[in-house]
């Protein structure tokens, strides 16, 4: 009897989890995946500068290049009309498209500057810190204006 109950509970959990998932090939799924990669990469860079992760100059420079490439990607996965799926994006993304695109370009510019700063050797926190902060500030500003939570 216990095995039967366990099977029913497991089946119910699997069914419910399938209903709440985001299609990874949908625009929402694609941009979420990109934003997660950006977050992980940015956290690693910030972690190196703040001592949470051992600093590795070449790895930092590679991370800056990766973050710069990623920063150009999510915007193409915002459809012209808001999708029906639950998303963290506010309606303002679609209602204030010019402002949203401006902030996207600001982030792209900041990641480009980070790449340039990461090519200066010897690696110095005094060069890299402000560039990382500029990227973090660009992300934060956009989240405050266009993200639901």
């Amino acid at each position: 009897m216990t095995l039967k109950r366990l099977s029913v509970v497991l089946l119910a959990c699997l069914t419910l989890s399938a209903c709440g998932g985001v299609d990874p090939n949908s625009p929402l799924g694609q941009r979420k995946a990109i934003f997660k990669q950006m977050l992980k990469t940015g956290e690693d860079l910030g972690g190196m500068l703040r001592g949470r992760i051992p600093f590795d100059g070449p790895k930092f420079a590679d991370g800056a290049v990766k973050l710069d490439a990623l920063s150009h990607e999510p915007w193409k996965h915002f459809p012209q009309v808001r999708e029906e799926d639950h998303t963290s994006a506010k309606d303002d993304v679609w209602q204030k498209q010019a402002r949203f695109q401006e902030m996207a370009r600001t982030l792209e510019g900041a990641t480009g500057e980070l790449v340039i700063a990461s090519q200066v050797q010897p690696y110095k926190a005094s060069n890299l810190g402000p560039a990382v902060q500029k990227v973090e500030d660009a992300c934060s500003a956009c989240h405050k204006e266009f993200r639901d939570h």
Side-chain angles (χ1 to χ4, degrees):
M1 192 65 141
T2 306
L3 181 60
K4 188 175 183 179
R5 284 185 183 168
L6 181 61
S7 297
V8 169
V9 169
L10 181 60
L11 181 62
C13 289
L14 288 173
T15 302
L16 289 174
S17 67
C19 294
V22 173
D23 177 2
N25 296 318
S26 70
L28 176 60
Q30 298 231 342
R31 68 181 187 254
K32 278 186 156 206
I34 294 165
F35 283 135
K36 283 181 183 179
Q37 290 176 2
M38 290 173 69
L39 178 63
K40 169 72 173 116
T41 304
E43 285 179 344
D44 287 350
L45 297 177
M48 281 189 217
L49 289 179
R50 294 177 181 104
R52 289 189 308 268
I53 299 172
F55 186 83
D56 178 329
K59 192 172 183 179
F60 186 97
D62 289 345
V65 169
K66 179 180 179 183
L67 186 60
D68 184 48
L70 288 167
S71 77
H72 295 267
E73 295 300 311
W75 325 118
K76 62 185 169 190
H77 299 290
F78 282 90
Q80 293 298 314
V81 178
R82 183 184 176 113
E83 60 266 274
E84 294 297 317
D85 294 328
H86 175 70
T87 172
S88 298
K90 292 181 181 178
D91 288 335
D92 285 352
V93 167
W94 292 273
Q95 295 169 359
K96 298 178 180 177
Q97 194 55 214
R99 175 71 176 142
F100 182 68
Q101 291 300 323
E102 174 189 338
M103 294 189 91
R105 300 301 82 80
T106 299
L107 174 63
E108 293 169 357
T111 59
E113 290 176 25
L114 177 60
V115 169
I116 292 167
S118 71
Q119 294 171 350
V120 176
Q121 293 192 23
Y123 298 107
K124 294 181 183 177
S126 59
N127 290 342
L128 299 171
V132 168
Q133 188 62 54
K134 192 170 184 176
V135 171
E136 291 173 350
D137 290 347
C139 289
S140 179
C142 193
H143 284 194
K144 285 178 186 171
E145 195 164 336
F146 291 107
R147 193 162 187 233
D148 206 3
H149 61 285

